[in-house]
Amino acid sequence: MKLINSLSILFVLIFAGCGKSDKERQAERLAQRLAEQEAYQKAYKIAVMPTMDCLPAYLLKDSLLYDSAKVDVRLCRFNAQMDCDTAMAGGSVQAAFTDLVRTERLKHKRKVLMHYLTDTNLDWQLIADHGSKLKKLSDLSDKIVAMTRYSATDLLTNLAVRKGKPKYQVFRVQINDVMVRLRMLQNHEIDSYWLAEPQAAKALQADNNVIFSSADAGVHLGVVAVMDKVRRQTEEAAFAEAYDKAVDQINKKGVKYYADLIKKYMKVDDATVRALPDIKYTKIGPPRRSDLLMVHNFLTSGK
Protein backbone atom coordinates (compact mmCIF):
# COMPACT_ATOMS: atom_id res chain seq x y z
CA MET A 1 0.00 0.00 0.00
CA LYS A 2 2.85 2.34 0.87
CA LEU A 3 4.41 1.54 -2.50
CA ILE A 4 1.19 2.42 -4.33
CA ASN A 5 0.89 5.72 -2.42
CA SER A 6 4.50 6.55 -3.16
CA LEU A 7 4.03 5.86 -6.87
CA SER A 8 0.87 8.02 -6.92
CA ILE A 9 2.70 10.93 -5.31
CA LEU A 10 5.58 10.48 -7.77
CA PHE A 11 3.23 10.59 -10.78
CA VAL A 12 1.55 13.75 -9.41
CA LEU A 13 4.92 15.46 -8.95
CA ILE A 14 6.06 14.43 -12.45
CA PHE A 15 2.78 15.69 -13.99
CA ALA A 16 3.01 18.97 -12.09
CA GLY A 17 6.58 19.40 -13.20
CA CYS A 18 5.55 18.94 -16.84
CA GLY A 19 2.70 21.46 -16.54
CA LYS A 20 3.02 25.05 -17.65
CA SER A 21 3.88 27.75 -15.19
CA ASP A 22 1.57 30.70 -14.53
CA LYS A 23 4.01 32.92 -16.39
CA GLU A 24 3.89 30.67 -19.44
CA ARG A 25 0.09 30.54 -19.42
CA GLN A 26 -0.10 34.34 -19.14
CA ALA A 27 2.28 34.67 -22.07
CA GLU A 28 0.09 32.32 -24.15
CA ARG A 29 -3.08 34.28 -23.30
CA LEU A 30 -1.36 37.54 -24.24
CA ALA A 31 -0.17 36.07 -27.54
CA GLN A 32 -3.70 34.84 -28.27
CA ARG A 33 -5.21 38.27 -27.55
CA LEU A 34 -2.65 39.98 -29.77
CA ALA A 35 -3.36 37.49 -32.58
CA GLU A 36 -7.11 38.13 -32.24
CA GLN A 37 -6.55 41.89 -32.31
CA GLU A 38 -4.39 41.61 -35.41
CA ALA A 39 -7.03 39.45 -37.13
CA TYR A 40 -9.74 41.96 -36.26
CA GLN A 41 -7.69 44.84 -37.65
CA LYS A 42 -7.19 42.96 -40.91
CA ALA A 43 -10.85 41.86 -41.17
CA TYR A 44 -13.40 43.45 -43.52
CA LYS A 45 -15.64 45.22 -41.02
CA ILE A 46 -19.19 46.23 -41.90
CA ALA A 47 -21.41 48.53 -39.83
CA VAL A 48 -24.94 47.18 -39.52
CA MET A 49 -28.18 48.12 -37.76
CA PRO A 50 -30.92 45.93 -36.21
CA THR A 51 -33.09 46.46 -39.30
CA MET A 52 -34.29 44.25 -42.13
CA ASP A 53 -32.21 45.93 -44.83
CA CYS A 54 -29.20 44.33 -43.12
CA LEU A 55 -30.60 40.78 -43.23
CA PRO A 56 -28.39 39.74 -46.20
CA ALA A 57 -25.30 40.70 -44.19
CA TYR A 58 -26.46 38.73 -41.16
CA LEU A 59 -27.22 35.71 -43.35
CA LEU A 60 -23.95 35.75 -45.29
CA LYS A 61 -22.02 36.04 -42.02
CA ASP A 62 -23.84 33.30 -40.11
CA SER A 63 -24.06 30.94 -43.09
CA LEU A 64 -20.50 31.72 -44.26
CA LEU A 65 -21.56 32.38 -47.86
CA TYR A 66 -18.15 33.83 -48.68
CA ASP A 67 -14.67 32.42 -49.22
CA SER A 68 -13.04 32.98 -45.83
CA ALA A 69 -9.63 32.71 -47.51
CA LYS A 70 -10.47 35.89 -49.46
CA VAL A 71 -12.35 37.87 -46.83
CA ASP A 72 -12.87 37.72 -43.07
CA VAL A 73 -16.21 39.50 -42.60
CA ARG A 74 -16.88 41.05 -39.19
CA LEU A 75 -20.17 42.80 -38.42
CA CYS A 76 -20.04 45.90 -36.23
CA ARG A 77 -23.51 46.29 -34.74
CA PHE A 78 -24.98 49.70 -33.93
CA ASN A 79 -28.45 50.93 -32.91
CA ALA A 80 -27.95 54.51 -34.10
CA GLN A 81 -26.91 55.57 -37.58
CA MET A 82 -24.81 58.38 -36.06
CA ASP A 83 -22.53 55.71 -34.58
CA CYS A 84 -22.16 54.22 -38.06
CA ASP A 85 -21.18 57.70 -39.28
CA THR A 86 -18.47 57.90 -36.64
CA ALA A 87 -17.13 54.48 -37.62
CA MET A 88 -17.15 55.40 -41.31
CA ALA A 89 -15.46 58.76 -40.82
CA GLY A 90 -12.89 57.30 -38.44
CA GLY A 91 -12.01 54.40 -40.70
CA SER A 92 -12.89 51.70 -38.18
CA VAL A 93 -15.18 49.98 -40.71
CA GLN A 94 -14.71 49.30 -44.40
CA ALA A 95 -18.41 49.40 -45.31
CA ALA A 96 -21.76 50.37 -43.78
CA PHE A 97 -25.49 49.89 -44.25
CA THR A 98 -26.80 53.43 -44.12
CA ASP A 99 -28.79 55.99 -46.14
CA LEU A 100 -27.99 58.42 -48.93
CA VAL A 101 -28.58 61.56 -46.91
CA ARG A 102 -26.00 60.54 -44.35
CA THR A 103 -23.42 59.38 -46.85
CA GLU A 104 -23.74 62.35 -49.20
CA ARG A 105 -23.33 64.70 -46.23
CA LEU A 106 -20.28 62.75 -45.03
CA LYS A 107 -18.79 62.98 -48.52
CA HIS A 108 -19.35 66.68 -49.01
CA LYS A 109 -19.19 68.12 -45.49
CA ARG A 110 -16.61 65.88 -43.88
CA LYS A 111 -14.74 64.83 -47.04
CA VAL A 112 -15.06 61.11 -46.30
CA LEU A 113 -14.02 59.18 -49.40
CA MET A 114 -16.52 56.47 -50.32
CA HIS A 115 -18.52 54.89 -53.11
CA TYR A 116 -21.75 52.89 -53.23
CA LEU A 117 -21.65 49.13 -53.47
CA THR A 118 -25.43 48.92 -53.82
CA ASP A 119 -28.74 50.43 -52.89
CA THR A 120 -30.91 48.52 -50.39
CA ASN A 121 -34.60 48.14 -49.65
CA LEU A 122 -34.52 50.23 -46.47
CA ASP A 123 -38.06 51.58 -46.02
CA TRP A 124 -38.99 54.08 -43.31
CA GLN A 125 -42.55 54.41 -41.99
CA LEU A 126 -43.95 57.33 -40.02
CA ILE A 127 -45.97 55.64 -37.29
CA ALA A 128 -48.39 57.59 -35.11
CA ASP A 129 -49.06 56.62 -31.51
CA HIS A 130 -52.70 55.54 -31.39
CA GLY A 131 -53.20 57.92 -28.46
CA SER A 132 -52.17 60.92 -30.57
CA LYS A 133 -55.20 60.53 -32.86
CA LEU A 134 -53.03 61.19 -35.91
CA LYS A 135 -54.78 59.73 -38.95
CA LYS A 136 -53.40 61.79 -41.85
CA LEU A 137 -50.47 64.08 -42.57
CA SER A 138 -52.39 67.29 -42.00
CA ASP A 139 -52.94 66.11 -38.41
CA LEU A 140 -49.22 66.63 -37.76
CA SER A 141 -50.02 70.25 -36.97
CA ASP A 142 -48.50 71.15 -33.57
CA LYS A 143 -47.31 67.51 -33.17
CA ILE A 144 -43.88 65.97 -32.54
CA VAL A 145 -41.95 63.64 -34.86
CA ALA A 146 -39.02 61.47 -33.72
CA MET A 147 -36.30 61.55 -36.38
CA THR A 148 -32.57 62.13 -36.91
CA ARG A 149 -31.09 65.27 -38.42
CA TYR A 150 -29.26 64.95 -41.75
CA SER A 151 -30.69 61.51 -42.40
CA ALA A 152 -33.34 59.87 -44.56
CA THR A 153 -35.88 60.53 -41.80
CA ASP A 154 -35.09 64.25 -41.91
CA LEU A 155 -35.69 64.40 -45.66
CA LEU A 156 -38.85 62.29 -45.35
CA THR A 157 -40.22 64.56 -42.63
CA ASN A 158 -39.84 67.44 -45.08
CA LEU A 159 -41.77 65.50 -47.71
CA ALA A 160 -44.50 64.57 -45.22
CA VAL A 161 -44.95 68.18 -44.10
CA ARG A 162 -44.97 69.43 -47.70
CA LYS A 163 -47.60 66.89 -48.67
CA GLY A 164 -49.78 67.22 -45.58
CA LYS A 165 -49.67 71.03 -45.29
CA PRO A 166 -50.43 71.05 -41.54
CA LYS A 167 -51.82 74.35 -40.26
CA TYR A 168 -49.28 74.83 -37.50
CA GLN A 169 -45.62 73.92 -36.99
CA VAL A 170 -44.44 70.33 -36.85
CA PHE A 171 -41.84 69.80 -34.12
CA ARG A 172 -38.88 67.51 -34.71
CA VAL A 173 -37.07 65.78 -31.88
CA GLN A 174 -33.81 63.95 -32.54
CA ILE A 175 -33.92 60.35 -31.30
CA ASN A 176 -31.02 58.54 -32.93
CA ASP A 177 -31.34 55.05 -31.45
CA VAL A 178 -34.01 53.06 -33.28
CA MET A 179 -34.61 50.81 -30.27
CA VAL A 180 -35.11 53.85 -28.05
CA ARG A 181 -37.68 55.18 -30.52
CA LEU A 182 -39.61 51.93 -30.30
CA ARG A 183 -39.55 51.98 -26.49
CA MET A 184 -40.72 55.60 -26.50
CA LEU A 185 -43.66 54.63 -28.68
CA GLN A 186 -44.51 51.75 -26.37
CA ASN A 187 -44.46 54.24 -23.47
CA HIS A 188 -46.57 56.80 -25.40
CA GLU A 189 -43.99 59.56 -24.94
CA ILE A 190 -44.52 61.63 -28.11
CA ASP A 191 -46.81 61.68 -31.14
CA SER A 192 -45.05 59.94 -34.05
CA TYR A 193 -41.87 58.08 -34.95
CA TRP A 194 -39.92 57.07 -38.04
CA LEU A 195 -39.34 53.32 -37.84
CA ALA A 196 -37.97 50.72 -40.25
CA GLU A 197 -38.69 47.00 -40.22
CA PRO A 198 -38.88 45.01 -38.01
CA GLN A 199 -39.49 47.77 -35.44
CA ALA A 200 -42.38 49.05 -37.57
CA ALA A 201 -44.06 45.62 -37.54
CA LYS A 202 -43.67 45.52 -33.76
CA ALA A 203 -45.21 48.99 -33.42
CA LEU A 204 -48.20 48.15 -35.61
CA GLN A 205 -49.16 45.22 -33.39
CA ALA A 206 -50.19 47.74 -30.72
CA ASP A 207 -52.91 49.50 -32.80
CA ASN A 208 -50.61 52.31 -33.89
CA ASN A 209 -50.96 53.42 -37.52
CA VAL A 210 -48.80 54.41 -40.48
CA ILE A 211 -49.46 57.88 -41.89
CA PHE A 212 -46.57 58.10 -44.39
CA SER A 213 -43.61 56.08 -45.68
CA SER A 214 -40.64 56.31 -48.01
CA ALA A 215 -42.59 53.97 -50.32
CA ASP A 216 -45.41 56.54 -50.42
CA ALA A 217 -42.83 59.16 -51.38
CA GLY A 218 -41.38 56.90 -54.08
CA VAL A 219 -37.82 57.27 -52.84
CA HIS A 220 -35.13 54.64 -52.27
CA LEU A 221 -32.64 55.94 -49.73
CA GLY A 222 -30.94 52.83 -48.33
CA VAL A 223 -27.37 52.04 -49.44
CA VAL A 224 -24.28 50.04 -48.62
CA ALA A 225 -21.37 52.48 -48.72
CA VAL A 226 -17.73 51.39 -49.05
CA MET A 227 -14.89 53.49 -47.68
CA ASP A 228 -12.21 54.50 -50.20
CA LYS A 229 -9.36 55.68 -47.97
CA VAL A 230 -7.79 52.24 -48.31
CA ARG A 231 -9.30 50.28 -51.20
CA ARG A 232 -9.65 46.56 -50.52
CA GLN A 233 -11.06 45.45 -53.84
CA THR A 234 -10.57 41.69 -53.47
CA GLU A 235 -12.46 41.65 -50.17
CA GLU A 236 -15.13 44.00 -51.49
CA ALA A 237 -15.71 41.72 -54.46
CA ALA A 238 -15.94 38.66 -52.20
CA PHE A 239 -18.45 40.45 -49.97
CA ALA A 240 -20.51 41.56 -52.99
CA GLU A 241 -20.63 37.99 -54.31
CA ALA A 242 -21.74 36.69 -50.90
CA TYR A 243 -24.35 39.47 -50.65
CA ASP A 244 -25.95 38.36 -53.92
CA LYS A 245 -25.98 34.74 -52.72
CA ALA A 246 -27.75 35.84 -49.53
CA VAL A 247 -30.33 37.83 -51.53
CA ASP A 248 -31.06 34.77 -53.68
CA GLN A 249 -31.61 32.59 -50.63
CA ILE A 250 -33.84 35.11 -48.83
CA ASN A 251 -35.99 35.73 -51.90
CA LYS A 252 -36.33 31.99 -52.50
CA LYS A 253 -37.27 31.03 -48.94
CA GLY A 254 -38.90 34.24 -47.69
CA VAL A 255 -37.85 36.43 -44.78
CA LYS A 256 -39.90 34.50 -42.20
CA TYR A 257 -37.81 31.40 -42.90
CA TYR A 258 -34.98 33.30 -41.20
CA ALA A 259 -36.95 33.96 -38.01
CA ASP A 260 -34.12 32.79 -35.76
CA LEU A 261 -31.65 35.11 -37.48
CA ILE A 262 -34.03 38.07 -37.23
CA LYS A 263 -34.72 37.42 -33.55
CA LYS A 264 -31.01 37.00 -32.82
CA TYR A 265 -29.82 40.24 -34.42
CA MET A 266 -32.90 42.47 -34.29
CA LYS A 267 -34.21 41.55 -30.83
CA VAL A 268 -37.84 40.91 -31.76
CA ASP A 269 -40.27 38.13 -30.89
CA ASP A 270 -42.04 35.48 -32.96
CA ALA A 271 -45.20 37.55 -33.27
CA THR A 272 -43.24 40.40 -34.84
CA VAL A 273 -41.57 38.06 -37.33
CA ARG A 274 -44.98 36.68 -38.30
CA ALA A 275 -46.23 40.25 -38.82
CA LEU A 276 -43.41 41.18 -41.22
CA PRO A 277 -44.39 41.94 -44.82
CA ASP A 278 -43.09 39.77 -47.66
CA ILE A 279 -39.87 41.70 -48.29
CA LYS A 280 -38.02 41.14 -51.57
CA TYR A 281 -34.36 42.06 -51.87
CA THR A 282 -32.46 43.24 -54.92
CA LYS A 283 -28.97 42.22 -55.95
CA ILE A 284 -25.99 44.55 -56.16
CA GLY A 285 -26.87 47.70 -58.09
CA PRO A 286 -26.19 51.45 -57.81
CA PRO A 287 -28.55 54.02 -56.24
CA ARG A 288 -30.99 55.69 -58.60
CA ARG A 289 -29.94 59.01 -60.07
CA SER A 290 -33.29 60.54 -59.09
CA ASP A 291 -32.70 59.67 -55.42
CA LEU A 292 -29.19 61.14 -55.49
CA LEU A 293 -30.56 64.32 -57.03
CA MET A 294 -33.30 64.61 -54.40
CA VAL A 295 -30.74 64.17 -51.61
CA HIS A 296 -28.42 66.74 -53.18
CA ASN A 297 -31.26 69.26 -53.38
CA PHE A 298 -32.23 68.58 -49.78
CA LEU A 299 -28.71 69.06 -48.47
CA THR A 300 -28.06 72.25 -50.44
CA SER A 301 -31.44 73.90 -49.92
CA GLY A 302 -30.93 74.70 -46.25
CA LYS A 303 -34.44 73.30 -45.80
Side-chain angles (χ1 to χ4, degrees), residues 242-272:
Y243 182 94
D244 279 349
K245 288 179 184 177
V247 166
D248 279 338
Q249 290 193 17
I250 296 168
N251 288 341
K252 180 179 179 180
K253 297 177 180 178
V255 294
K256 294 172 187 178
Y257 179 86
Y258 297 99
D260 289 342
L261 203 62
I262 295 167
K263 290 188 293 182
K264 174 183 176 181
Y265 286 110
M266 304 179 204
K267 306 303 179 186
V268 293
D269 54 19
D270 287 311
T272 300

Side-chain angles (χ1 to χ4, degrees), residues 4 104 115 120-121 155 162-163 166 194 201 222 272 281 290 297:
I4 293 172
E104 287 298 298
H115 67 276
T120 68
N121 66 331
L155 182 154
R162 192 179 306 155
K163 182 177 181 180
W194 284 106
T272 300
Y281 293 80
S290 59
N297 290 338

Side-chain angles (χ1 to χ4, degrees), residues 195-212:
L195 295 171
E197 297 293 5
Q199 291 79 32
K202 178 70 175 177
L204 294 177
Q205 292 177 71
D207 296 325
N208 304 302
N209 59 291
V210 179
I211 59 173
F212 194 59

Side-chain angles (χ1 to χ4, degrees), residues 9 26 39 42 98 103 112 125 135 149 196-197 279 288:
I9 293 169
Q26 288 175 4
K42 291 180 178 178
T98 181
T103 53
V112 179
Q125 300 179 59
K135 300 299 180 185
R149 291 181 67 208
E197 297 293 5
I279 302 170
R288 301 185 310 183

Side-chain angles (χ1 to χ4, degrees), residues 11 49 115-116 162-163 167 203 258 283:
F11 283 132
M49 295 279 287
H115 67 276
Y116 298 119
R162 192 179 306 155
K163 182 177 181 180
K167 185 176 180 180
Y258 297 99
K283 289 187 176 183

Side-chain angles (χ1 to χ4, degrees), residues 165-231:
K165 298 180 175 63
K167 185 176 180 180
Y168 299 113
Q169 183 178 357
V170 177
F171 299 96
R172 308 179 192 211
V173 59
Q174 179 152 308
I175 309 296
N176 297 314
D177 189 311
V178 296
M179 307 306 281
V180 170
R181 279 187 211 169
L182 180 59
R183 288 196 295 271
M184 288 178 67
L185 175 58
Q186 292 167 333
N187 293 329
H188 312 291
E189 294 186 34
I190 60 175
D191 303 303
S192 60
Y193 308 78
W194 284 106
L195 295 171
E197 297 293 5
Q199 291 79 32
K202 178 70 175 177
L204 294 177
Q205 292 177 71
D207 296 325
N208 304 302
N209 59 291
V210 179
I211 59 173
F212 194 59
S213 72
S214 53
D216 294 336
V219 295
H220 299 170
L221 298 175
V223 289
V224 176
V226 177
M227 303 303 101
D228 285 341
K229 188 174 182 180
V230 178
R231 291 297 300 272

